[in-house]
Amino acid sequence: GENVEQHPSTLSVQEGDSAVIKCTYSDSASNYFPWYKQELGKRPQLIIDIRSNVGEKKDQRIAVTLNKTAKHFSLHITETQPEDSAVYFCAASLAGNQFYFGTGTSLTVIP
Amino acid sequence: ETGVTQSPTHLIKTRGQQVTLRCSSQSGHNTVSWYQQALGQGPQFIFQYYREEENGRGNFPPRFSGLQFPNYSSELNVNALELDDSALYLCASSFLAAGWETQYFGPGTRLLVL
């Protein structure tokens, strides 16, 4: 089955700096890659997703890039703010069926 | 916030007991997936239901079972509870059609097995 690895496990940045989280996947058939943000005690919330026919997608301060050849995708957050502090999960799936999640990155934005 | 709801929010059971967790999917969605999230880990896929049929299953034993009803709500049943079953159980709903469907999570049920 699919295996998703996520790095780093923890990340601290100064407010205003950029944060980058990287994930790799093993199954070349995976074609959908969402990113979720989970605040303490709350549900995972979708922040951005990318499909395999697209190399990059941006939504305000958040962007995701996908390299199908290397089988990795990354989340980029620019101009970080304290409210960006949370755990971020990447996931990979085939046609929206079974989602395989990474182990999470705990992001801390220091004011 | 999504329209996905789950009940109960918290539950305490003892080892060997059985538990039923419930999920109401977002309006217009026809698919429900269940995940187990242990503390400090990412969600692990249990199974998915599409139009009342199981549509994929993760690496969980048969004592984890489920149902989906005609209104697309769903139940997760766990028999013979073990201490390691203590976790946050999340359901996620989506509209399965041509593929690439986004899943929206409910708030979860936190289960503690003593």
Side-chain angles (χ1 to χ4, degrees), chain A residues 40-59:
Chain A
L40 193 62
K42 296 194 175 181
R43 73 186 79 193
Q45 291 198 307
L46 179 75
I47 56 171
I48 197 167
D49 56 11
I50 192 167
R51 295 179 166 113
S52 58
N53 59 346
V54 175
E56 184 173 358
K57 183 177 178 180
K58 189 173 181 180
D59 182 4

Side-chain angles (χ1 to χ4, degrees), chain B residues 23 38 41 65 74 88:
Chain B
C23 172
Q41 300 294 318
S65 63
S74 177
L88 179 67

Side-chain angles (χ1 to χ4, degrees), chain B residues 19-32:
Chain B
V19 69
T20 297
L21 310 180
R22 295 178 175 82
C23 172
S24 291
S25 58
Q26 187 165 310
S27 178
H29 285 181
N30 58 10
T31 304
V32 173

Side-chain angles (χ1 to χ4, degrees), chain B residues 75-114:
Chain B
E75 286 183 354
L76 164 65
N77 299 290
V78 186
N79 294 320
L81 283 167
E82 301 177 359
L83 298 180
D84 285 349
D85 295 334
S86 296
L88 179 67
Y89 288 85
L90 295 160
C91 74
S93 78
S94 57
F95 182 75
L96 198 64
W100 303 342
E101 277 61 52
T102 301
Q103 296 190 0
Y104 296 93
F105 283 90
T109 293
R110 191 164 295 280
L111 173 64
L112 177 61
V113 182
L114 301 175

Side-chain angles (χ1 to χ4, degrees), chain A residues 21 33-35 47-51 54-59 61-67 72-77:
Chain A
I21 303 171
F33 307 92
W35 286 89
I47 56 171
I48 197 167
D49 56 11
I50 192 167
R51 295 179 166 113
V54 175
E56 184 173 358
K57 183 177 178 180
K58 189 173 181 180
D59 182 4
R61 297 187 296 109
I62 295 173
V64 57
T65 58
L66 171 65
N67 183 326
H72 68 70
F73 56 113
S74 300
L75 177 71
H76 304 253
I77 306 174

Side-chain angles (χ1 to χ4, degrees), chain B residues 10-78:
Chain B
H10 296 81
L11 205 50
I12 300 175
K13 291 285 188 178
T14 56
R15 195 170 49 181
Q17 285 189 312
Q18 177 266 342
V19 69
T20 297
L21 310 180
R22 295 178 175 82
C23 172
S24 291
S25 58
Q26 187 165 310
S27 178
H29 285 181
N30 58 10
T31 304
V32 173
S33 303
W34 285 93
Y35 295 84
Q36 179 193 68
Q37 186 177 23
L39 203 59
Q41 300 294 318
Q44 298 290 315
F45 177 74
I46 303 175
F47 43 57
Q48 182 183 84
Y49 277 84
Y50 168 61
R51 292 186 175 179
E52 302 177 58
E53 297 287 333
E54 189 177 286
N55 185 44
R57 188 179 181 92
N59 189 26
F60 280 81
R63 59 190 185 83
F64 286 79
S65 63
L67 282 173
Q68 188 180 31
F69 300 99
N71 65 355
Y72 303 123
S73 65
S74 177
E75 286 183 354
L76 164 65
N77 299 290
V78 186

